[in-house]
Amino acid sequence: MPITRRGFLKVSGMVLAAGGLGISIKPISAYAKPLKIKYAKETTTICPYCSVGCSIIVSTTGEGKIINTEGDPDSPINGGALCSKGSALYQMGTGNSNRLTKPLYRAPYAGDWQEVSWEWALDKIARNVKKSRDKSFRLTNDQGQIVNRTEGIASVGSAALDNEECYLYQKFLRGLGLVYIEHQARI
Amino acid sequence: MTNHWTDFQNSDCILIMGSNPASNHPVSFKWITKAVERGATLICVDPRFTQSAAKSHIYAPLRSGTDIAFLGGMIKYILDNHLIQEEYVKNYTNAGFLVNPLCKLPGENGGVFSGLQGETYDKDTWSYQRDAEGAIKKDITLRDPSCVYQLLKKQYGRYSPEMVSRITGTPGDKLLEVYKEYTKTSRPDKAGNILYAMGWTQHTVGTQNIRAMSIIQTLLGNVGIAGGGIQALRGESNVQGSTDFGLLFNTLPGYLAAPLASHRTLAVYNEKLTPKTTEQRSLNWWKNFPKYSASLLRAFYGMNASLEEAYSYLPKVDDGVDCSWLSLFDQMYKGQFSGFFAWGMNPAVSGANVFKVRQAMTRLDWMVNVNLFDNETGDFWRGPGMDPKKIKTEVFLLPCAFSFEKEGSITNSGRLMQWRYKAVAPPGEARPDSKIITELYFRIKKLYEREGGPLPEAITRLAWNYGTSDVDGGRAEVDIHAVAKEINGYFLEDKIDPASKRAFKKGEPVPAFAFLQDDGSTSSGCWVYCNSYAEQGNMSARRGKKDASGIGLSSEWAWSWPMNRRIIYNGASVDMKGVPWDAKRAVISWDGTKWTGDVPDGAGNPGSERAPFIMKPDGVASIFGPGLADGPFPEHYEPLESPLKKNLLSPQMNNPVIKRWDRPGVGTEMDIARSADPLFPIVCTTMRVSEHWQSGVLTRWQPWLVEMEPALFVEMSVELAKERGIKNGEQIFIKSARGQAEAIAMVTARFKPFTIDGKIVHQVALPWHFGWATSATRLYGPKDKKPELFTYGNAANRLTPTIGDANTMIPESKAFMVDISRKGAA
């Protein structure tokens, strides 16, 4: 017989009630724990994936550990719903041991990465930027027009940055004189 | 979007074409479903029977790359059956404008418009007739043979259902079913909506695809109303914001064009870019351009430079030079760049023709890659086919904070700016991008202060006052709220606004962009965001749930640009007397003294006859659009790689003004294209799945998502599989003129072969989320991150061609030619 979703749940319930579980749940219910998020701090965020902009509640413990993420029912856009990516947001946080946590450096012709300090990396990058800019900067073009641009450095990125970061980044790049500035919007 | 996500519930008919929201914007389907529950019809037009098609009332298949033919047929249907919203068309569009008689259309001109010179158009003939005073001549009855409306009829008279069906492969009865249903929305009280995405933009005729629908929507009177408009379903959570803030070579924040070399001074720049109009009814809002350019220059340099100096520091692109994505990687391949920032991007997977992109990276002296995980770009030097011992590039892989590890705002596809908060600190030594950028800036600034160099002031005089920096210039803590306030803007001196006579004090936030000044007395990082963080505080952090509108505007939740307006061009939602076309779903209403409802846009007081499309110089919607590179009307051309030898519609095969990288001396040896080639007889398109996002750079590292979608697959018809002896689930090769990828065959009855001009043409589709960095077969060193679950398959962009749209240069990733074969075959 065709079985609807509701019908399926009803049937399962009957099976459980008839002792289909095979164990007694009486002792467990006496020790029922409160929801793990009962004492958590809640902050809201917006999903980082597509452009619908679903709102998500992130629950964290006092020790700064994320213990839950779920849709924010107050948002008029998603009203608590999330797709598979948003629902999996939890896996982007605490506990994903594959997150990059240290600056890495690959030397010319090297076969692997080495861990370096931020100071060292940022100093070296700054020096590289200056070197590339100084040798490729053009005050004027072939027609003699003033162009004040850095032809030897390009940048792509990013639709994943916050608005304030996008604004800072383009200010930084244009201050340096870059014209080859692109990102996801172009592809 | 002109409208916004929850507004979909107000539509009477929704056309899903060039997109697949059920898969790629899943939560938006909530609002589509609500519309359907209210009686709306859902139409899906797509080469594949997608998840969105499965929910639709009408599904029509069409061959990738033939959308203009399909839509041109709909325009013909509208005109033949006089299904226009007449009052709207006559008063709110340029349908009645008289066009230069020298303007020739493709039907009478060998498939191209008048003025083609080599690979560009001289657009002189794409102009209007003017009277002695210079005003545009018009025929309000739309009968003059040289008026836009009659030219439109002439243009699309060639797009008969028979012709369209031959080109698209859509059965004739299906075409008419779609046309008939959608054009019911020409009634003033019916709203038709279009949801599109990369299925329209990633073509050599991408811009014209969208133009074709804009023409349909304006003919039907659907722009500016609830449930109507034109919706781009964008791909990333903040691609709207990143575009608003000018991270493209040709725009500065707020869509001010990036200055060219010929714009020698600020005055010349303003003069060239400030539009003028002779139309009395037009508000011509961009006439305020000099206020926005001056305020932006102040945001860059504060009072550290005069406006003229600040303007001179801005880098200038040479006139006519393109520095967009395809050009960027072409220049990189040719060795132009010593340095490269891949900041929160993975071009080694997401760029078209990734073999070229990856090779290009080997020519760099240095690369800075900022990201959350190991990825194919930062690791390009040890990717498949690479020998690290031969690659000189030094690479910095910098760990950054994730979205809930920092505070800031993002803007969704509906222009809604929403603030988000820091839940936890970033792991290990990962840092927010704002901090990395700031620290780099201060280090570079110090080097220039100490050692000098070319035009150091462009760097050293930038205004960068967002929190404390220590004596060293490093470790600056960035106050994100200070950045947001600078974006909104403030007065730099006491000022009386000349127009309103309102007095402002130095340091006061600018309450609205109407008060920005052109004399340097105001600063604003992005004029369209002015009002987002003014005297009422951080508007994007608001959480008001009340919706007084009845049409889902939710005007108290967060903030949308401009000015918290939710539906733009809503001035077109009322007639010339100010009465809403549809009282039941009014967007704005006149209460006797003012407009109520949404923030009014372009609506003068009733009876003022102000033209509502205020961002267009002439105030009306463009049915005839002379501003584009490839024609004032959309015209069907075949994709660069096509199954056909000839364009069935005209003698012109491809868009005549696309940049042909495959020609000698233009691109490189890696820019091969093969059209009508028996070696690559199958049409191919790229697509996405719900469980992965973009290049997979985040989602391929999450076991819950990889478990659901672990492998690259190629979706194909039962008929094609049978022809090639391929069984569902077996490994195959898919190859194009650029390269090859290995994948799993997904054989399905949902995909059917097309009949194009009487011949069978097969099409396949594959997702582009996969890459080698999370695969089981790559080498993982002892310190390398290793995913809990491996993925199978490489980048689909190994297959895509180096060719872009004539206006935007977006790569044609949605229509190219391939072949497939069993992996086990000899």
Side-chain angles (χ1 to χ4, degrees), chain B residues 182-498:
Chain B
Y182 192 76
T183 57
K184 286 178 184 169
T185 64
S186 71
R187 280 178 46 172
D189 63 345
K190 290 285 177 208
N193 208 346
I194 170 61
L195 312 182
Y196 79 89
M198 313 314 288
W200 271 4
T201 61
Q202 287 174 337
H203 290 278
T204 45
V205 293
T207 308
Q208 297 287 3
N209 282 338
I210 299 153
R211 266 277 294 147
M213 195 66 205
S214 305
I215 291 171
I216 290 171
Q217 288 294 74
T218 42
L219 289 174
L220 300 175
N222 280 332
V223 183
I225 64 174
I230 294 155
Q231 324 312 333
L233 311 187
R234 305 198 68 171
E236 298 87 10
S237 55
N238 200 31
V239 69
Q240 183 63 55
S242 56
T243 312
D244 297 338
F245 287 98
L247 277 170
L248 295 172
F249 90 94
N250 58 324
T251 56
L252 302 178
Y255 300 97
L256 308 184
L260 301 178
S262 63
H263 301 146
R264 295 173 297 106
T265 63
L266 179 58
V268 172
Y269 172 69
N270 282 337
E271 205 272 315
K272 291 282 183 229
L273 290 164
T274 305
K276 297 167 199 54
T277 185
T278 51
E279 289 297 289
Q280 305 290 342
R281 288 172 57 208
S282 176
L283 189 56
N284 184 23
W285 193 263
W286 272 116
K287 69 185 177 214
N288 296 299
F289 186 98
K291 300 175 185 173
Y292 310 144
S293 57
S295 301
L296 181 66
L297 289 170
R298 281 297 192 221
F300 268 63
Y301 289 98
M303 299 305 283
N304 301 336
S306 69
L307 289 179
E308 274 304 333
E309 283 170 331
Y311 178 77
S312 75
Y313 298 153
L314 286 183
K316 315 293 184 296
V317 180
D318 283 349
D319 294 52
V321 170
D322 177 270
C323 302
S324 70
W325 183 278
L326 292 175
S327 302
L328 192 157
F329 285 102
D330 188 66
Q331 288 296 295
M332 191 184 292
Y333 188 93
K334 290 167 177 165
Q336 170 165 321
F337 305 123
S338 56
F340 177 55
F341 288 98
W343 199 298
M345 274 208 88
N346 189 11
V349 170
S350 60
N353 195 352
V354 290
F355 286 122
K356 180 180 181 184
V357 170
R358 295 173 186 185
Q359 269 307 306
M361 292 173 178
T362 65
R363 314 273 153 103
L364 298 165
D365 289 345
W366 57 266
M367 174 197 289
V368 175
N369 182 226
V370 182
N371 222 311
L372 298 153
F373 292 101
D374 218 358
N375 61 85
E376 292 76 9
T377 298
D379 273 80
F380 78 91
W381 43 275
R382 55 177 178 168
M386 293 289 178
D387 181 2
K389 291 194 281 302
K390 297 207 176 94
I391 299 170
K392 64 173 178 175
T393 319
E394 63 175 352
V395 185
F396 302 81
L397 185 49
L398 303 179
C400 60
F402 187 54
S403 51
F404 51 60
E405 294 160 1
K406 58 184 180 181
E407 191 176 352
S409 71
I410 59 170
T411 305
N412 76 4
S413 204
R415 292 166 287 104
L416 187 71
M417 176 192 182
Q418 300 185 97
W419 197 261
R420 53 187 187 185
Y421 297 90
K422 180 176 175 177
V424 289
E429 296 178 45
R431 294 182 177 181
D433 303 78
S434 58
K435 187 156 177 181
I436 306 171
I437 295 164
T438 299
E439 296 198 23
L440 262 182
Y441 168 67
F442 279 113
R443 276 172 168 75
I444 295 168
K445 178 180 180 186
K446 196 157 63 158
L447 287 177
Y448 276 99
E449 278 167 345
R450 284 212 193 118
E451 302 171 15
L455 201 66
E457 311 85 72
I459 299 163
T460 61
R461 288 190 183 178
L462 281 176
W464 207 285
N465 312 309
Y466 313 111
T468 52
S469 57
D470 69 22
V471 176
D472 220 21
R475 295 189 188 284
E477 285 308 317
V478 181
D479 176 4
I480 279 299
H481 291 261
V483 183
K485 287 175 188 172
E486 177 170 292
I487 287 167
N488 178 90
Y490 24 69
F491 281 87
L492 299 173
E493 56 189 64
D494 289 355
K495 179 80 186 177
I496 296 174
D497 173 58

Side-chain angles (χ1 to χ4, degrees), chain B residues 512-527:
Chain B
F513 50 72
F515 299 107
L516 289 174
Q517 306 294 326
D518 62 7
D519 60 2
S521 58
T522 53
S523 168
S524 171
C526 187
W527 73 274

Side-chain angles (χ1 to χ4, degrees), chain A residues 43-54 58 60 64 66 72 74-78 82-85 88-93 96-106 108-113 118-119 121-130 132-135 137 141 145-149 151-159 161-172 174-187, chain B residues 5-6 26 30-31 198 202 234 236-238 241-243 245-253 261 299-300 312 315-316 318 324-325 331 336-341 343-345 366 372-373 378-379 381-382 388-389 391-397 399-400 402 404-406 408-409 411-413 418-421 423-424 427 429 431 433-434 439 443 447-448 451-452 454-455 459 463 466 475 486 543 545 554 557 690 693 701-704 785-786 808 810:
Chain A
T43 52
T44 55
T45 190
I46 306 297
C47 186
Y49 294 118
C50 82
S51 68
V52 171
C54 296
V58 182
T60 53
I66 294 176
D72 177 357
D74 287 344
S75 166
I77 293 180
N78 63 312
L82 291 175
C83 77
S84 53
K85 293 184 296 297
L89 204 72
Y90 177 80
Q91 290 207 310
M92 279 298 298
N96 189 326
S97 55
N98 288 320
R99 284 281 303 275
L100 297 173
T101 55
K102 286 189 182 303
L104 298 176
Y105 174 71
R106 183 256 177 182
Y109 310 107
D112 46 39
W113 295 107
W118 273 105
E119 309 311 303
L122 292 172
D123 278 342
K124 204 157 197 308
I125 294 168
R127 178 54 71 190
N128 284 351
V129 168
K130 185 169 196 303
S132 292
R133 180 178 181 271
D134 289 355
K135 80 176 179 209
F137 193 81
N141 62 11
Q145 297 162 311
I146 295 174
V147 292
N148 286 341
R149 65 180 181 238
E151 298 189 333
I153 307 176
S155 165
V156 298
S158 169
L161 293 176
D162 293 349
N163 287 325
E164 297 75 26
E165 293 170 330
C166 288
Y167 169 70
L168 289 179
Y169 190 51
Q170 66 80 39
K171 193 181 200 183
F172 170 66
R174 290 190 160 111
L176 288 174
L178 268 70
V179 290
Y180 281 91
I181 300 171
E182 286 282 293
H183 77 291
Q184 287 90 332
R186 185 72 69 186
I187 54 175
Chain B
W5 297 103
T6 56
K30 216 181 181 4
W31 303 108
M198 313 314 288
Q202 287 174 337
R234 305 198 68 171
E236 298 87 10
S237 55
N238 200 31
S242 56
T243 312
F245 287 98
L247 277 170
L248 295 172
F249 90 94
N250 58 324
T251 56
L252 302 178
F300 268 63
S312 75
K316 315 293 184 296
D318 283 349
S324 70
W325 183 278
Q331 288 296 295
Q336 170 165 321
F337 305 123
S338 56
F340 177 55
F341 288 98
W343 199 298
M345 274 208 88
W366 57 266
L372 298 153
F373 292 101
D379 273 80
W381 43 275
R382 55 177 178 168
K389 291 194 281 302
I391 299 170
K392 64 173 178 175
T393 319
E394 63 175 352
V395 185
F396 302 81
L397 185 49
C400 60
F402 187 54
F404 51 60
E405 294 160 1
K406 58 184 180 181
S409 71
T411 305
N412 76 4
S413 204
Q418 300 185 97
W419 197 261
R420 53 187 187 185
Y421 297 90
V424 289
E429 296 178 45
R431 294 182 177 181
D433 303 78
S434 58
E439 296 198 23
R443 276 172 168 75
L447 287 177
Y448 276 99
E451 302 171 15
L455 201 66
I459 299 163
Y466 313 111
R475 295 189 188 284
E486 177 170 292
R543 289 176 63 85
K545 291 189 284 181
S554 296
W557 177 273
S690 298
W693 183 66
W701 288 94
Q702 292 172 60
W704 290 344
K785 306 289 186 187
K786 206 166 177 182
T808 61
I810 290 183

Side-chain angles (χ1 to χ4, degrees), chain A residues 23-40:
Chain A
I23 54 164
S24 167
I25 60 169
K26 271 209 177 78
I28 298 166
S29 57
Y31 290 100
K33 285 196 261 191
L35 285 177
K36 62 184 175 180
I37 59 172
K38 187 170 174 179
Y39 301 109

